[in-house]
Amino acid sequence: MQEIDIGVLSKLSGLSTATIRFYESKGLIKSMGRKGLRRQYSEHILPTVKLIKFLREGGLSIAEIEKIFISNHRIQVNRREISEKIHDIELKINHLLEMKSILQHMEHCPFEDHLRCPDFIKIIS
């Protein structure tokens, strides 16, 4: 198993070294040790780090990632928790689509006072 330096992991993952150390402090990943002052990681950690980055960019918290996807520094999917998260995401998507519809109507609505527009009232009801 080949080791990679934290700086190399940073470049390959697009994350700062501070973020990588933070993930380690939270128990999401584990280093193999150090060479001098530099942390070393298994080359196989890159997909895990990329998954964490993807999930964080998608709005999941560190606690959610740990609860749903990672246990003992390994990816271990909790399918029940994933189902709940999918439901939460679907609700959020529906809410955002409704909000988009309202804003699009407001953008083109001929009424200055949107609360006097019958179409607007229908949308928000």
Side-chain angles (χ1 to χ4, degrees):
M1 180 177 344
Q2 189 172 0
E3 294 179 8
I4 57 175
D5 179 89
I6 190 170
V8 173
L9 182 58
S10 173
K11 286 179 185 162
L12 293 174
S13 67
L15 295 169
S16 70
T17 56
T19 299
I20 294 168
R21 286 189 300 272
F22 174 71
Y23 291 165
E24 187 173 352
S25 75
K26 294 299 183 182
L28 297 177
I29 60 173
K30 185 176 181 180
S31 67
M32 296 178 67
R34 294 177 183 266
K35 279 191 182 170
L37 297 176
R38 309 275 298 179
R39 290 180 181 166
Q40 302 295 306
Y41 296 88
S42 161
E43 65 183 340
H44 302 294
I45 196 102
L46 184 59
T48 301
V49 172
K50 285 185 173 185
L51 174 64
I52 296 167
K53 178 182 178 187
F54 175 78
L55 296 171
R56 291 287 293 142
E57 288 172 348
L60 270 67
S61 69
I62 295 293
E64 288 174 314
I65 292 169
E66 184 176 29
K67 185 176 182 183
I68 297 172
F69 296 100
I70 298 178
S71 178
N72 297 321
H73 317 289
R74 296 182 188 272
I75 297 173
Q76 295 180 341
V77 176
N78 181 328
R79 296 185 193 286
R80 185 182 60 75
E81 292 289 338
I82 286 178
S83 292
E84 290 177 18
K85 192 48 143 171
I86 289 169
H87 179 71
D88 292 346
I89 290 169
E90 287 172 344
L91 290 175
K92 186 180 271 187
I93 288 169
N94 289 336
H95 178 78
L96 290 171
L97 288 172
E98 288 176 23
M99 189 163 54
K100 178 183 173 187
S101 176
I102 290 169
L103 294 174
Q104 285 175 324
H105 178 83
M106 292 174 80
E107 178 182 29
H108 301 289
C109 182
F111 287 78
E112 283 190 36
D113 181 353
H114 297 294
L115 295 177
R116 296 194 186 278
C117 173
D119 292 332
F120 183 75
I121 298 301
K122 279 186 212 173
I123 292 171
I124 62 172
S125 295

